[in-house]
Structures are given as C-alpha cells and as structure tokens.
Amino acid sequence: MGGVTSSVAAKFAFFPPSPSSYRLITDELTGLLLMNPFPHRENVEILKLSTRRGTEIVSMYVRHPMATSTLLYSHGNAADLGQMYELFIELSIHLKVNLMGYDYSGYGQSTGKPSEHHTYADIEAAYKCLEETYGAKQEDVILYGQSVGSGPTLDLAARLPRLKAVVLHSPILSGLRVMYPVKKTYWFDIYKNIDKIPLVNCPVLVIHGTCDEVVDCSHGKQLWELSKEKYEPLWLEGGNHCDLEHYPEYIKHLKKFITTVERSLSSRMSTCQSESDLEMPRQSVDRREKPRKSVDRREKEKPPKGPSKKSKLRITFEQHLDRSRRSIDFHDKARKSVDHHQNNHQIERGRKSVDRLDRVRSE
C-alpha cells in the first residue's frame, strides 16, 4: 500500500511540460549557450550543471547591477525554464536581485527522470554554482519555492543556518497531504515539509491564494504557524494555484519583505562590527600584558640572588633594635654598677663615721 501511495504522490508532484518549451543552442561566434526562442541578453547566462546523482540540469542566472541578494528559485510541478523565463527577468528587475532558476532532472532540457531525491541533488548543484561561480555567500541567498518547489527549498534551508530568508509560494505540507488529510507523517510520504519547516532559522514569508484548488490554503497557513521566524504572510483573496504573480499585492509584498530582511541583516552586521571595534582595545591591552607575564615568568625562573630590599630593610631595622637593646642594657648595667658603687661608698663612709664616734666616746 505504501509503495502505491508513494507512486501516486510522485505522479502528482512531477508533471513536466512535454514537449519542453525551449531548446538549447550554442552561439557559433561566442560559444555561449542560449535558450531558444529567447534572444540573448547581456545579463543572462544559461548553464549546464552536473548533480551528485549523475544528471545534468539546465539553469539560468540573471544578474542585476544593484543587487545585494540572490534569489534561488525552485519552480512548480508543471513548468520549465522556458515558461518561467520572462517572470525571472521581471522579478530580478523589480526586486533588484540576482536570480538563479533551474530545471529539475527530467524537466526541460535537463537529463534524467524526476524524483524527490533528484530535486534535492538539483537544488544543491544550483546553490553550489552560486557559491563557486558567482561568489554568493549563504547570508546573501534567499530560497524561493513554488508549489512542489517548496520541497527542495525547505530541504536545503533546513541545512543552511545562515541563510538570509525563505519564500514559500503556494507550498505543500507534504505530497501525501495534498491528496489525503492525514494527521501524521508516513515513511513513504514525499517532501515532508511539515517536519522540516521548524528547522529553518531565517525569516519565512508564505504566499498563498485563498481559492487554491490544487493545494489548499491551509497548507500555507500551517507551514507559516510552524515557522520560527514568521514574517507577515500574504493570503491573496481569490487567488488560485498558478496566478498569484498577477496580483499587484504579490510583487509589492515581496519587495517589502526583501527590503526588510536586507535592512535587518545590515543592522546585525553593523552591530557585530561595533562589538568587534569595542573588543579591539581589550585585545591590544591583552597583547601588552603578555610581555609582562613573560617577565614575571622569567623572574620566577631566576634563582634568588639574596635578600630583597624589603628584607634588607627589615634586617637593618631588627639590627638597629638589637643594638638599641644592647645599648640600653649596657647603660642599665653601667647605671647599676654606679649605683652599687655609690651605695657601697655611702655605707663605707657611714661605717667610718660610726667608728669615729665610737673612738671619741671611748676616749
């Protein structure tokens, strides 16, 4: 039963346009890869990327001269890059971001067959290209997942702790929950977004149409409730599954979100810089203290040469006291000897006087 249900979920999740809405050609003069029937643009690059699962996917990179953020866009289940091309150009212009879109394995001109685990490898290849080819940092990247694209988006977002932000456009709780209102997650389910959203550590914007007939709006609302860093959601009244970008509120709210997270990141960076500046004097003081410690260490290691100044003073003072005591004793002895001599002399004189009186009386 599980295998059958999983197969049904997979069939729902993957419905690539057939035939593909574009084909790839190589310009004879420049050697650049082009996407026909679209004209070449100086700020658009078409690439082929190899994945860890052995497939080769097609991606497009749109550069904006004023961009400070890069949007990595994972499209829906029934679209390819040819159908998304113009929207990607418009989003880059209005949001002032660099943008990378890609086709899943088995979509457009990408090789292989579509599967859940292929899409995980596909988005990893696209993200790796942003880092290695275009120098994007994790803090600069905003992951954008539409419909089934919310699966690879949240899978990657849960593994990138310093990500700038995540946008979920008509997202799904899981593949099985789109078809059946199950209350728990089964092992054979695909795109278990309900279990991954709590692991995302950056601001999350959810956009969903209230009249979505493919993925009920309750999916978006529950994912928003489970988010750690909730941003004001956009519930488009009357919006369906594939028409949200036509609403004026869509681009307006998206632009506000990106501006907010960019400002928030700038303020955090400036705060960190201020704290770093405050720490620098302490570090320099610590550096000056280190030689003092080494001197103390050398002094400890040196054998004692003799008594210190304090001990010398103490000895001198004790010697002085001793001499004073001796002097006092000497004077005391002298005084005693004098007193003893005087007393003896007085007694002797007294005796002689008495003897004279006795003699006078006898005469």
Side-chain angles (χ1 to χ4, degrees), residues 226-256:
L226 293 170
S227 301
K228 280 184 183 177
E229 289 194 46
K230 301 175 179 64
Y231 184 81
E232 180 188 357
L234 179 61
W235 313 125
L236 284 168
E237 195 67 36
N240 211 316
H241 192 65
C242 300
D243 63 354
L244 302 187
E245 59 270 17
H246 300 303
Y247 285 75
E249 301 96 319
Y250 166 79
I251 196 69
K252 182 179 179 181
H253 199 79
L254 197 53
K255 186 184 296 185
K256 179 183 174 184

Side-chain angles (χ1 to χ4, degrees), residues 350-363:
R351 284 176 185 169
K352 288 181 179 180
S353 301
V354 171
D355 291 343
R356 288 193 192 100
L357 287 172
D358 288 340
R359 288 175 184 170
V360 171
R361 286 174 185 171
S362 62
E363 291 177 356

Side-chain angles (χ1 to χ4, degrees), residues 3-4 40 42 44 49-50 78 83 94 100 111-112 183 199 203 230 238 264 311:
V4 174
H40 171 63
E42 291 295 331
V44 177
L49 308 174
S50 298
Q83 296 174 350
H94 289 291
M100 173 168 275
T111 65
K183 299 298 182 182
L199 304 175
K230 301 175 179 64
S264 175
S311 60

Side-chain angles (χ1 to χ4, degrees), residues 72 74 123 143-146 149-158 166-168:
L72 178 53
S74 301
I123 194 171
L143 298 184
Y144 189 117
Q146 180 180 2
S150 60
T153 291
L154 286 177
D155 183 76
L156 183 61
V166 167
V167 179
L168 300 176

Side-chain angles (χ1 to χ4, degrees), residues 45-100:
E45 294 181 57
I46 309 301
L47 307 165
K48 286 184 179 181
L49 308 174
S50 298
T51 75
R52 58 178 171 80
R53 293 178 66 89
T55 62
E56 190 175 62
I57 62 170
V58 180
S59 67
M60 64 177 289
Y61 182 77
V62 186
R63 193 189 306 272
H64 191 285
M66 304 296 289
T68 57
S69 300
T70 298
L71 202 69
L72 178 53
Y73 197 116
S74 301
H75 61 63
N77 69 334
D80 63 17
L81 282 181
Q83 296 174 350
M84 303 299 294
Y85 186 92
E86 294 297 341
L87 175 63
F88 287 171
I89 300 297
E90 292 298 316
L91 287 176
S92 176
I93 293 171
H94 289 291
L95 301 177
K96 296 180 180 178
V97 296
N98 300 318
L99 187 148
M100 173 168 275

